[in-house]
Amino acid sequence: MTEPNNTSPKEQPDSQAQSHETDPRPQSFKDLKPWEGKARTGDKVLLWFLFGVPAFYMVLLPLRPFLIAKIPTLLALITGARTVIAGAGAFAAVEGRSLTLVILAGLFGMLKFDWLFWLAGKMWGEGVLRLYATTPAQKRQFEKIKRMPRWLLYLMLFFSRFPGVPGPIIALIAGWSRVRFLPYFLITAAGALVMSIALATLGYVIGQPAVDVLKVVDKYAIFISLALIFGLVAWSSIRSNKKRQTS
């Protein structure tokens, strides 16, 4: 015979509530929303844009192999990707196009969405932690960066478009730290300009060998794109399975 459940109905919700309180992970959208009180129209629009930016780049990723050899400068403007800017510089050298145009396209491509993250930090302040820092370790990292001296934050803004630097996170913290838009934009733009010049010039110097490689990529674009799509689907499935296992 099975033993009767001696836990009273009153005790069960209490234990569930206690486990809910000790779990630091978000349990619902209310735990994630970065604003206080009722959402304004600006809050909703900005949140949709912030979710839309990663989706925009994910959609473009499989299309890059098709476009890199056909419209490299335009693709640099649309994506701001480092490899695309370098590729556009190589095509500029081989086909006699303007290197300045490639540099400006890369600069715009790198800057076009960053200000949204600065605005999110400015509008929502500490609330951005609920959206982007869902674990205690991430929250400590955010707060550590926020406490750094202002000159060091400016330095990080300058390098925010360099490889390995989490640019959107730095922009969020700059807005949260009440860095005014003009200093934020000028410093970020200066760093992005240096990066765009370096990448475009590198491609320009390499020239024909880089173009030959990109034309091979264009030739096998359909296979590369399919591999990227399958890779994204597999990665998404693995992440979903891990979340289900940990929940």
Side-chain angles (χ1 to χ4, degrees):
M1 293 178 64
T2 58
E3 295 183 1
N5 186 2
N6 295 325
T7 306
S8 65
K10 186 177 180 180
E11 290 174 347
Q12 288 179 351
D14 290 343
S15 61
Q16 291 173 359
Q18 190 174 10
S19 64
H20 177 89
E21 289 174 2
T22 56
D23 189 355
R25 292 172 300 176
Q27 302 296 322
S28 66
F29 178 72
K30 288 183 179 180
D31 299 326
L32 281 173
K33 67 175 185 176
W35 55 79
E36 296 292 341
K38 188 176 180 181
R40 299 165 295 179
T41 302
D43 293 321
K44 295 177 182 178
V45 171
L46 182 56
L47 188 63
W48 275 109
F49 270 110
L50 292 179
F51 284 146
V53 168
F56 173 78
Y57 286 118
M58 291 281 277
V59 169
L60 280 178
L61 188 60
L63 301 178
R64 282 192 202 174
F66 288 100
L67 304 177
I68 184 62
K70 296 179 176 65
I71 50 169
T73 304
L74 181 59
L75 190 62
L77 185 142
I78 294 172
T79 65
R82 289 183 285 271
T83 52
V84 175
I85 297 170
F91 274 98
V94 172
E95 300 178 359
R97 298 176 184 173
S98 169
L99 182 62
T100 303
L101 186 61
V102 174
I103 292 170
L104 293 176
L107 175 64
F108 177 83
M110 286 190 281
L111 292 177
K112 64 184 180 297
F113 290 138
D114 271 14
W115 64 274
L116 291 170
F117 295 92
W118 172 87
L119 183 61
K122 187 177 188 305
M123 283 181 58
W124 298 327
E126 193 174 352
V128 297
L129 295 180
R130 293 194 291 272
L131 195 60
Y132 288 97
T134 56
T135 66
Q138 291 173 339
K139 289 178 182 179
R140 286 194 298 270
Q141 190 66 26
F142 262 81
E143 290 166 355
K144 182 180 178 181
I145 298 175
K146 186 178 182 292
R147 288 195 302 268
M148 67 174 53
R150 184 58 61 97
W151 67 268
L152 190 54
L153 180 57
Y154 286 158
L155 189 64
M156 292 188 70
L157 282 172
F158 180 85
F159 288 107
S160 62
R161 299 310 307 178
F162 282 59
V165 181
I169 300 302
I170 304 301
L172 278 170
I173 294 173
W176 180 17
S177 301
R178 293 295 184 259
V179 174
R180 289 179 300 162
F181 179 75
L182 188 59
Y184 153 77
F185 179 78
L186 291 177
I187 295 170
T188 306
L193 180 60
V194 170
M195 194 74 242
S196 186
I197 291 172
L199 292 167
T201 304
L202 177 64
Y204 194 88
V205 170
I206 296 173
Q208 189 64 53
V211 169
D212 292 340
V213 171
L214 293 173
K215 285 184 176 178
V216 171
V217 170
D218 180 58
K219 182 179 179 181
Y220 296 101
I222 182 63
F223 303 107
I224 296 171
S225 297
L226 287 173
L228 287 170
I229 291 170
F230 285 127
L232 289 172
V233 171
W235 175 74
S236 178
S237 300
I238 291 169
R239 285 194 64 187
S240 299
N241 289 334
K242 284 184 177 179
K243 284 183 179 179
R244 282 197 294 267
Q245 290 171 3
T246 56
S247 61

